[in-house]
Amino acid sequence: MSGARWLDVRNPRTGENDYRIAVADEAEVAAAATRLRAAQPDWAARPVEQRIAVLRRWVEAVGRHGDGLLQALVTDTGRSFVSRAEIAGLGATVERWSRLAPDILAEPLQESTTPGIDYRIQLVPIPLVGAISPWNFPLTLSLIDAVPALVAGCAVLVKPSEVTPRFVAPLEAALGEVPELDSVFAFVRGDGATGAALIRHVDAVCFTGSVATGRKVAAAAAARFIPAFLELGGKDPMVILASADVKQAAETALRASVSVTGQACQSIERVYVSHAIYDEFVAELVAAAERVELNWPDIHAGHIGPLIFAKQAATIRSQLEDAVARGARIRCGGVVEEHGGGLWIRPTVVTEVDHGMALMREETFGPVIPVMPFDSVDEAVALANDSEFGLSAAVLAGTLDEAEQVGRRIEAGAVSLNDGALTSLFYEAEKDSFKSSGLGGSRMGPAGMRRFLRRRALIRQQNAPASIESVDERRGCP
Ligand code: NAD
């Protein structure tokens, strides 16, 4: 580690750099990849039940390191409830894939329409999958692709965000207690340079992060002809029809926008409301937003934590300033506050907005809710679709059928009907990212594991193979 490049890590509750990581260079990434590759064939050769049993032992080992993991994650993110939920989610993720795996990995003999020929599709795991993850859900998003890839028989190398790297040490300690898994699963710490190096040494890359970085990852993967699965940013719209229950709609819009301080790709970032209920909705929303408390000074009280990434505060400030300069009105919140060295912003409702504002076009990644009225459903759909992003969306209406009719017209990979941001809770439904929000197969549902399996068709001839005479030009038409 001597001569390593070091990175300071900021604590989001104090603003102090109280941790640092040694950045893995190309040689370290290459060495990790070589080690994992060497062990992968044995891992893939095990029956899936054995791989699952090994992963379950790791979950138990993580439990033994639970206190350290929780402390690290809480320090990384400045929030307690969500950190506990992330940790609880690990066991649930392993169990979900364990339930799905036997069906996904089955290789039945298949009949064909050609007499005498049947076939079997052998599923061949990609040897080494790389995962590059962001800072907003450090644990969940570093493992969301790793678990199905490991169950499928791949080895996995993860490069978590340099903004929130503390949680990695307790996970590694738990890995050390399960040597079978340790040989095929590893983390490398570092920034974008380490991520770029990782792409040079893996056979497929799963990337979760911004559109700007996603473009670089896609180009690097294309240059190597390896698959890239990109889960990128969003500017998710919520459409609220005149028939919706106004109070409920305000509560739902608030929760779906400001949970986790709006630092989620599936956060609602634009709300379009029927003129018929607009004034009432805005009043309810502002009243509900003003009841939201920061989890400061007590991390165990309040609803939202600090901004994890200090640079995000500048983005939020600049989008709000631009909107106000163009005529927007801030109804509540709107100020980045400093408490104890950390940066915080209360739920911010903004009206008199239009699509000329960066606030309505670019990802905000904060607890900001711009609200715009519409006259007709066609106008609402056009506004929702007027975006470079197409990650997810939401529609609220008096009935699910009415909501679904509108939801079917929205250019997004997942639409929550009579709720918002359901993709944060529900992983079973396959979905694609539309437009600039991503590329590659669905991470959700069974496709999330199938992405890591190449198909080898084993085509079986039961009859005597044809001879060269079968293509003799003197033969008539077949
Ligand atoms: P980011 O793009 O800045 O960084 C993501 C990761 O990429 C980090 O680990 C970083 O070190 C790495 N990286 C940076 N440059 C790289 C390069 N040239 N090559 C390889 N790796 C490189 O994103 P962020 O700020 O950490 O995360 C926030 C973004 O993530 C938001 O846009 C959010 O919407 C998106 N996100 C998407 C999803 C989803 O499922 N679609 C989920 C969570 C977050």
Side-chain angles (χ1 to χ4, degrees), residues 373-440:
F374 63 81
D375 288 317
S376 69
V377 169
D378 285 349
E379 185 192 358
V381 170
L383 286 166
N385 289 341
D386 179 24
S387 172
E388 100 168 92
F389 299 100
L391 192 64
S392 39
V395 184
L396 309 184
T399 66
L400 278 172
D401 284 347
E402 197 188 350
E404 183 171 338
Q405 277 176 30
V406 177
R408 295 178 79 92
R409 298 170 63 191
I410 296 184
E411 292 164 7
V415 183
S416 301
L417 303 176
N418 279 359
D419 202 338
L422 279 176
T423 50
S424 60
L425 305 171
F426 186 73
Y427 291 11
E428 283 169 40
E430 293 187 358
K431 62 180 270 284
D432 295 314
S433 299
F434 287 24
K435 302 196 255 186
S436 297
S437 287
L439 201 66

Side-chain angles (χ1 to χ4, degrees), residues 132-136 141 159-162 190-192 195-196 199 207-210 213 216-217 231-234 265 363 365 391 443:
I132 300 173
S133 53
W135 47 261
N136 57 330
L141 293 175
K159 205 296 286 174
S161 170
E162 66 276 27
D191 53 13
I199 299 168
F207 173 80
T208 311
S210 63
T213 311
K216 293 183 199 166
V217 170
E231 304 281 345
L232 310 179
C265 58
E363 193 176 45
F365 232 53
L391 192 64
R443 161 188 273 174

Side-chain angles (χ1 to χ4, degrees), residues 164-391:
T164 49
R166 296 171 183 83
F167 76 100
V168 177
L171 284 189
E172 285 178 331
L175 264 181
E177 294 174 17
V178 188
E180 303 97 309
L181 190 61
D182 189 49
S183 65
V184 287
F185 183 27
F187 292 85
V188 280
R189 294 169 178 77
D191 53 13
T194 309
L198 177 134
I199 299 168
R200 289 191 282 275
H201 294 277
V202 296
D203 304 308
V205 59
C206 299
F207 173 80
T208 311
S210 63
V211 173
T213 311
R215 279 188 213 287
K216 293 183 199 166
V217 170
R224 291 201 55 230
F225 274 169
I226 62 168
F229 305 110
L230 309 179
E231 304 281 345
L232 310 179
K235 186 76 192 170
D236 288 2
M238 174 178 274
V239 173
I240 305 175
L241 303 182
S243 57
D245 177 311
V246 177
K247 201 172 166 57
Q248 177 71 62
E251 286 290 343
T252 304
L254 178 73
R255 190 214 79 232
S257 299
V258 313
S259 299
V260 293
T261 323
Q263 302 165 120
C265 58
Q266 77 282 354
S267 289
I268 293 297
E269 295 212 348
R270 302 176 281 149
V271 176
Y272 303 101
V273 188
S274 165
H275 251 307
I277 56 169
Y278 175 78
D279 289 336
E280 196 189 340
F281 173 81
V282 171
E284 290 283 357
L285 180 63
V286 170
E290 285 177 335
R291 289 195 292 273
V292 173
E293 295 164 33
L294 308 182
N295 71 353
W296 172 266
D298 180 0
I299 195 170
H300 300 295
H303 307 95
I304 62 174
L307 296 170
I308 295 171
F309 188 37
K311 285 187 191 153
Q312 207 61 39
T315 304
I316 296 169
R317 259 197 214 108
S318 111
Q319 287 189 7
L320 289 174
E321 280 167 16
D322 168 76
V324 168
R326 291 168 190 269
R329 206 175 134 205
I330 293 179
R331 300 295 191 104
C332 60
V335 180
V336 176
E337 304 171 17
E338 196 175 323
H339 299 289
L343 300 172
W344 313 69
I345 179 164
R346 293 176 198 276
T348 299
V349 178
V350 191
T351 58
E352 277 81 50
V353 291
D354 62 53
H355 282 208
M357 301 170 181
L359 185 62
M360 297 300 275
R361 290 194 318 270
E362 295 168 17
E363 193 176 45
T364 307
F365 232 53
V368 180
I369 320 173
V371 189
M372 196 172 166
F374 63 81
D375 288 317
S376 69
V377 169
D378 285 349
E379 185 192 358
V381 170
L383 286 166
N385 289 341
D386 179 24
S387 172
E388 100 168 92
F389 299 100
L391 192 64

